[in-house]
Amino acid sequence: DGEKAWEFDITPVPDELAIAKGEMPEDMKADIVKEKGGNFDEAQKEVDRITAETVDKLDGLRAAAKKASKRIEDWQVESQHNSHLRRVIDKGGLVGSGVLKGPFNKRVKKCKYIAGKVETVDEIIPVSKWINHWNLYPDPSCGCSIHDGSYTWEKDDITEKVLRSLKGTGAYIDIQIDRVLSEDPCEVNNKVPGSLEDSGNLTKRKTKGLYQIWYYYGRLKAEDMQSAGLKGADNLKPGDSIDVEVVMVNNHVIRCIKAV
């Protein structure tokens, strides 16, 4: 994928850079001489000590920035970040809009050496991905900036295999996923009577084994959170609302968490 288009670096205060180069400000030197009672030899030792400490500090910060840069680059390579960016640019050139979602958490399998054994463990990594602009539904009142809206809906397809893999991760409601898997894939519509948990009048999809999944990012009222089973919702007063992430398949809520 070639060179990355970004780089981390430290942002020290200008005085720190000057001290590291042996160019300590004169007023600081004067303060040191005063503190040492006018003893210029002791003052110079203190200046040398501060200079060495500042050099070590900046070297440590540069090393940390380099490691962080490498870590993020590894995540981007693993999630094919540049490939998704190219799709954003391609679609932006065609229709005037390109959407990149992220970073968001993704659970992946990793091999780790633990207590003398090589084991496969779950690890959470940040990823980003291209989203078809036809599948994104921001708050119509957001105006020119999507960030001014109160909510965003995102639509996608999910296979039965991937849907099953969400069980047991702790991030989704397993019993709700079982309910979805016991049904045929359906289209979401506004003809569902009663609560969100009733999928009686949904239209069956023609795509066998391919479910429609919806993501909601926005505010939710206390009573809606309680019906969705959000933890901590019982502590809220009627009419209260907080930012949440809700995931639905076949009109069943399979995930409902408080947004961080």
Side-chain angles (χ1 to χ4, degrees), residues 120-242:
T120 302
V121 299
D122 287 335
E123 184 174 300
I124 302 297
I125 66 170
V127 300
S128 300
K129 73 171 185 177
W130 166 80
I131 293 177
N132 191 321
H133 61 282
W134 290 113
N135 291 339
L136 188 68
Y137 303 87
D139 181 356
S141 64
C142 69
C144 295
S145 175
I146 192 173
H147 301 290
D148 292 337
S150 299
Y151 64 85
T152 298
W153 283 97
E154 177 197 342
K155 179 181 69 174
D156 202 356
D157 290 325
I158 185 171
T159 64
E160 180 179 332
K161 177 182 178 180
V162 176
L163 188 59
R164 288 185 183 278
S165 72
L166 301 179
K167 292 179 57 178
T169 62
Y172 293 83
I173 307 172
D174 290 357
I175 189 172
Q176 291 291 79
I177 295 178
D178 287 335
R179 292 183 66 179
V180 173
L181 292 172
S182 68
E183 304 167 350
D184 292 324
C186 298
E187 301 280 354
V188 176
N189 58 39
N190 60 358
K191 299 179 181 180
V192 182
S195 71
L196 292 177
E197 303 309 319
D198 186 354
S199 59
N201 285 337
L202 292 180
T203 304
K204 292 191 174 11
R205 304 188 81 191
K206 297 180 181 179
T207 51
K208 184 178 180 181
L210 192 62
Y211 291 83
Q212 190 178 83
I213 186 168
W214 285 84
Y215 302 90
Y216 172 82
Y217 306 95
R219 299 193 70 80
L220 205 60
K221 292 183 179 179
E223 48 268 34
D224 293 327
M225 290 187 286
Q226 290 166 0
S227 66
L230 178 63
K231 293 181 180 179
D234 293 336
N235 299 326
L236 297 173
K237 299 177 182 179
D240 285 350
S241 64
I242 60 172

Side-chain angles (χ1 to χ4, degrees), residues 1-4 6 69-84 110 125-128:
D1 282 334
E3 296 291 331
K4 63 178 183 291
W6 55 273
S69 178
K70 180 61 177 176
R71 185 62 167 136
I72 293 174
E73 183 182 10
D74 288 344
W75 283 332
Q76 290 186 337
V77 171
E78 186 173 358
S79 64
Q80 299 181 324
H81 180 77
N82 286 352
S83 175
H84 286 281
K110 292 279 189 176
I125 66 170
V127 300
S128 300

Side-chain angles (χ1 to χ4, degrees), residues 40-59:
F40 289 96
D41 290 337
E42 291 298 320
Q44 185 59 49
K45 290 180 182 179
E46 182 66 9
V47 169
D48 293 341
R49 183 190 68 80
I50 293 175
T51 300
E53 285 186 354
T54 304
V55 170
D56 289 342
K57 175 186 176 181
L58 296 183
D59 285 346

Side-chain angles (χ1 to χ4, degrees), residues 88-99 133:
V88 171
I89 296 171
D90 178 60
K91 295 302 179 183
L94 289 174
V95 300
S97 294
V99 183
H133 61 282

